[in-house]
C-alpha cells in the first residue's frame, strides 16, 4: 500500500549541479503534482500534470523541468541548482474526482 | 488570485478542544481540505469538505464551512499530545483538467500536557 513514493529523501547539491527527483504513484491517478515547501511560505505548486503526456506550469516553475514518463511516474529536474532551490519538495497525485489528493513523504534538498 | 489565510500558532492544554481557523478567497472552490504535517514528515490528508456542505464530522474532527464568509474551521475534540503538528488549510480549484490546491501557511498546534 505504497501510495505516493518519492526519491531521494535527502540530497545535498553544489550550486550548478543537476539532479532529478523521482515520483511514482500506484493509485492509478490521472493528475500528479510537484510542490515545494519553504519556512513561512506554505506549499507552492511548481508544475503539474493533468494526465499522461501533459504538463503545465504552476506558481513557481522557474529553474525546473518536469517529465510525465507514464501514468505512474512524474519527475522533477533541476538543471542547474541554485541555493534558492534549497527546500522540501513534495510530489502528490489525485484522481478524477479531486476530493482526495495524496502526498509523498517529501524530499529534503540542500544546495550549497 | 487565490489566497488562504490562517493564524500561525495555537496552544492548547491536553484534553481541551482545539479550533483552527482559515479564510479563503476563491468562491468557486470545489473542495476544502485539512492536512496535518508532523516534524520531518509529509502531509497527511485529515479530512475534506465539499463546498456545498456546512459541516462534516469524523470521530474527533469537526469541520465547519461558512461559504458566505469564506471561513473554514477544524475542531479537534479532546486534544492529545499526538495532535501536536502543523495543520494546513487548502482550497482546490479546477485548472487545465486537474484539481489544484492553494495552501495556507499552516498553523502550528502545540499541546501542553
Amino acid at each position: 500500500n505504497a501510495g505516493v513514493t518519492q526519491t531521494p529523501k535527502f540530497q545535498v547539491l553544489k550550486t550548478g549541479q543537476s539532479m532529478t527527483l523521482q515520483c511514482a504513484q500506484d493509485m492509478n491517478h490521472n493528475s500528479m503534482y510537484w510542490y515545494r515547501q519553504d519556512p513561512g511560505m506554505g506549499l507552492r505548486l511548481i508544475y503539474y500534470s493533468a494526465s499522461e503526456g501533459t504538463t503545465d506550469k504552476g506558481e513557481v516553475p522557474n529553474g525546473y523541468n518536469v517529465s510525465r514518463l507514464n501514468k505512474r511516474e512524474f519527475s522533477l529536474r533541476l538543471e542547474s541548482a541554485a541555493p534558492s532551490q534549497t527546500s522540501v519538495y513534495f510530489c502528490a497525485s489525485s484522481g478524477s474526482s479531486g476530493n482526495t489528493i495524496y502526498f509523498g513523504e517529501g524530499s529534503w534538498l540542500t544546495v550549497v | 488570485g487565490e489566497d488562504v489565510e490562517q493564524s500561525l500558532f495555537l496552544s492548547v492544554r491536553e484534553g481541551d478542544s482545539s479550533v483552527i481557523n482559515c479564510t479563503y478567497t476563491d468562491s468557486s472552490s470545489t473542495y476544502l481540505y485539512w492536512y496535518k504535517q508532523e516534524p520531518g514528515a509529509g502531509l497527511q490528508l485529515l479530512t475534506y469538505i465539499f463546498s456545498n456542505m456546512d459541516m462534516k464530522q469524523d470521530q474527533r474532527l469537526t469541520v465547519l464551512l461558512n461559504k458566505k464568509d469564506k471561513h473554514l474551521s477544524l475542531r479537534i475534540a479532546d486534544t492529545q499530545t499526538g495532535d501536536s503538528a502543523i495543520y494546513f488549510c487548502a482550497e482546490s480549484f479546477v485548472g487545465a483538467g486537474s484539481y489544484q490546491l492553494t495552501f495556507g501557511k499552516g498553523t502550528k498546534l502545540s499541546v501542553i500536557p
Side-chain angles (χ1 to χ4, degrees), chain A residues 41-79:
Chain A
M41 298 291 291
L43 279 84
R44 294 179 293 170
L45 182 64
I46 305 171
Y47 270 94
Y48 66 98
S49 170
S51 62
E52 185 178 353
T54 69
T55 61
D56 285 285
K57 294 178 181 179
E59 183 185 351
V60 288
N62 291 344
Y64 305 95
N65 285 302
V66 289
S67 295
R68 184 73 183 268
L69 304 167
N70 48 55
K71 192 171 186 179
R72 287 189 65 245
E73 298 173 292
F74 188 38
S75 62
L76 177 72
R77 182 160 178 85
L78 286 71
E79 290 291 350

Side-chain angles (χ1 to χ4, degrees), chain A residues 1-9 20-27 29 32-34 72-76 89-93 102-107:
Chain A
N1 194 16
V4 180
T5 306
Q6 35 179 132
T7 57
K9 191 164 176 73
T20 300
L21 298 175
Q22 307 285 354
C23 176
Q25 51 90 9
D26 60 4
M27 296 172 282
H29 284 165
M32 297 186 73
Y33 313 82
W34 277 104
R72 287 189 65 245
E73 298 173 292
F74 188 38
S75 62
L76 177 72
Y89 291 85
F90 289 98
C91 179
S93 71
Y102 293 103
F103 283 78
E105 290 293 304
S107 297

Side-chain angles (χ1 to χ4, degrees), chain B residues 6-11 19-20 106-110:
Chain B
Q6 39 181 141
S7 53
L8 295 181
F9 301 99
L10 177 65
S11 182
V19 179
I20 303 172
T107 300
K108 184 175 183 179
L109 174 64
S110 298

Side-chain angles (χ1 to χ4, degrees), chain B residues 55-95:
Chain B
M55 186 182 85
K56 181 178 180 181
Q57 188 149 5
D58 184 1
Q59 298 182 340
R60 291 191 298 123
L61 304 179
T62 303
V63 178
L64 295 177
L65 175 60
N66 181 329
K67 198 169 182 180
K68 173 176 169 289
D69 294 337
K70 299 190 183 70
H71 183 267
L72 182 75
S73 67
L74 173 70
R75 178 177 181 269
I76 305 173
D78 187 25
T79 311
Q80 303 297 305
T81 54
D83 295 323
S84 293
I86 300 176
Y87 291 81
F88 290 94
C89 168
E91 61 173 344
S92 72
F93 63 95
V94 178

